[in-house]
Amino acid sequence: MPAPPSEAASGAASVPTSSARPTPGEASRFLAQATFGPTPAQIDAVVRDGYAAWLDAQLDLPPSQSHFDWLLQQGKNTEAYKGNGINAPLESTLWRKFISAEDQVRTRVAFALSEIFVVGVSAITANWPLFGAAGFMDLLAEHALGNYQALLTAVTRNLSMGCMLTYRGNRKEDPKTGRHPDENYAREVMQLFSIGLVELNPDGTARLANGAPVETYGNADVQGLAKVFTGWDLDGPETDVQFHRRPMALNGALHSLAEKRFLGAVIPPGTDGYLSLRRAMEVISAHPNVGPFIGTQLIQRLVTSNPSPAYVGRVAAAFHDDGQGVRGNLRAVVRAILLDDEARHPDLTSPEWGKVREPIVRFSGWARAFGATSNNGAWAMPDTTDNTIRLAQSPMRSASVFNFFRPRYSPPVTELARRGQVAPELQITDETSIAGYLNFLAIYVDRGWEDLQTDYAAEIALARDPAALVARVALLLAGDAFSGATADAIAQAVATLPPERPRDRVRAAIMLVAASPEYLVQK
């Protein structure tokens, strides 16, 4: 049954009840959820300032240098990068911000949103697709802590999304030929970007009627909504990369002026494209599913794969009302997710708590923990999609709009499946990718990757004390979720290496911690 209004309205984030400062281990675990990985300096800052103060300071930061501007600065707006075959500079700027941006929370949330509102660079059917993908991630960063309806509207009018979901240049119906508007975006904007397939209670559980879930929309809704997304195409010629920064413009001659019915709303015939789009965004954004649907996925991307209904309910309540009567305030949602008592004080021994660290976050976590950086400013990084020798995942290279993994994926014939739990990241995990990750890990821990390098100075200084070395590595990578027994076993293994080989001891400690289940499962 849906929660009564009073319960939903009072479900604001449950802030940790303890007034004690976080321990370094707690701070590290918090930063693993809120950023692309803890750094020693940020652990110290969270311990000093507390969770809320540190987070509020992060949320106040403006967006750091955009991917688009960095690519321009690097001179990538030339004929050489005009096609879809040379997109390596995209990896460079994405990893640059993941690893080095000061506005880490905004950057991490933008990445989480990129796995909900998915654009893959290979699907961008316009010149300079790397600028299209870069501009799309910039758009997500711009709106990551803003208003959901503004985010949805910006995504809808973005050319790269228009390419991804094939409604760029979408034409109105033609009774003479039997042509109907392309329905791709109309379907996915509901299924993936806003309300999902079934009606939800405020706590994210499915609403049932006669024991069965209730569908949120049908084919008639898709057909009616598809008319809204007709007539939209790029604004200006493809002769300069700046067209990727402009929202798609309306070609009124291609826009359907027919009546548009969807989700119980009616847009009268004769309504122009701009007003139709605005009304569609209002209707979708006001749907009661949006808070629990989007909130659950953000919790999954940042904190845990299987949040309790109570946790989802509190986050959805923050979406419904940020405390100032505003709906869809994503800053309030992010704050609710990260400061909730369930996130800050979980049962770390519970097999139901936590999430598999996706490969992109593992690599960025290593780089941030040990100060790896680009010494020449190029941030040279390849496509890391290969699952045999790299990460089995590379940012903005999802093959479909359904992301690298689905939010409700549960590996078949497993204990997780028996329990009715999900583990999205395991959809890209198999025997090959496990070996591929370990091989890639061994390479970059040993000698960095491309021009991304670190000297391990702080770790080498501890190398003669294996226990202290492993404690530092475990703190930076896994926080307080790493057991003493596992740390002791790793320290014993590290101690078998001669103390005269301090760098080898450091590499072994990092390799063994980063390969352990207690690290691979983020608690």
Side-chain angles (χ1 to χ4, degrees), residues 196-217:
L197 293 173
V198 301
E199 293 187 9
L200 302 175
N201 294 314
D203 64 2
T205 56
R207 188 171 76 82
L208 305 180
N210 299 319
V214 180
E215 293 184 351
T216 51
Y217 63 88

Side-chain angles (χ1 to χ4, degrees), residues 407-428:
R408 302 306 304 168
Y409 176 78
S410 184
V413 198
T414 62
E415 179 64 16
L416 278 171
R418 190 188 70 78
R419 290 170 176 251
Q421 295 181 305
V422 302
E425 297 83 0
L426 290 185
Q427 194 168 1
I428 57 170

Side-chain angles (χ1 to χ4, degrees), residues 11-16 310-311 314-315 335-345:
S14 175
V15 177
Y311 186 7
R314 291 188 291 270
V315 171
R335 201 174 187 279
I337 290 170
L338 295 173
L339 296 182
D340 192 89
D341 198 57
E342 195 166 327
R344 301 280 48 85
H345 297 131

Side-chain angles (χ1 to χ4, degrees), residues 10 19 52 54 67 83 94 124 132 152 189 191 212 233 247 262 289 294-295 388 390 409 412 441 461 477 491:
S10 63
S19 60
W54 181 90
H67 298 296
L94 292 172
I124 300 175
L152 187 65
V189 73
Q191 179 181 344
D233 207 337
F262 56 93
N289 264 32
I294 296 297
T388 62
R390 291 181 183 167
Y409 176 78
L441 174 67
L477 292 181

Side-chain angles (χ1 to χ4, degrees), residues 258-280:
E259 179 183 81
K260 306 172 180 76
R261 290 180 176 266
F262 56 93
L263 299 178
V266 179
I267 298 177
T271 304
D272 73 45
Y274 289 102
L275 289 177
S276 292
L277 181 65
R278 186 175 71 184
R279 180 59 181 148

Side-chain angles (χ1 to χ4, degrees), residues 498-522:
E500 295 77 19
R501 291 161 53 191
R503 186 173 292 273
D504 288 343
R505 283 188 164 190
V506 169
R507 291 166 177 159
I510 297 172
M511 180 76 185
L512 291 171
V513 170
S516 68
E518 291 172 30
Y519 167 72
L520 293 172
V521 176
Q522 174 187 303

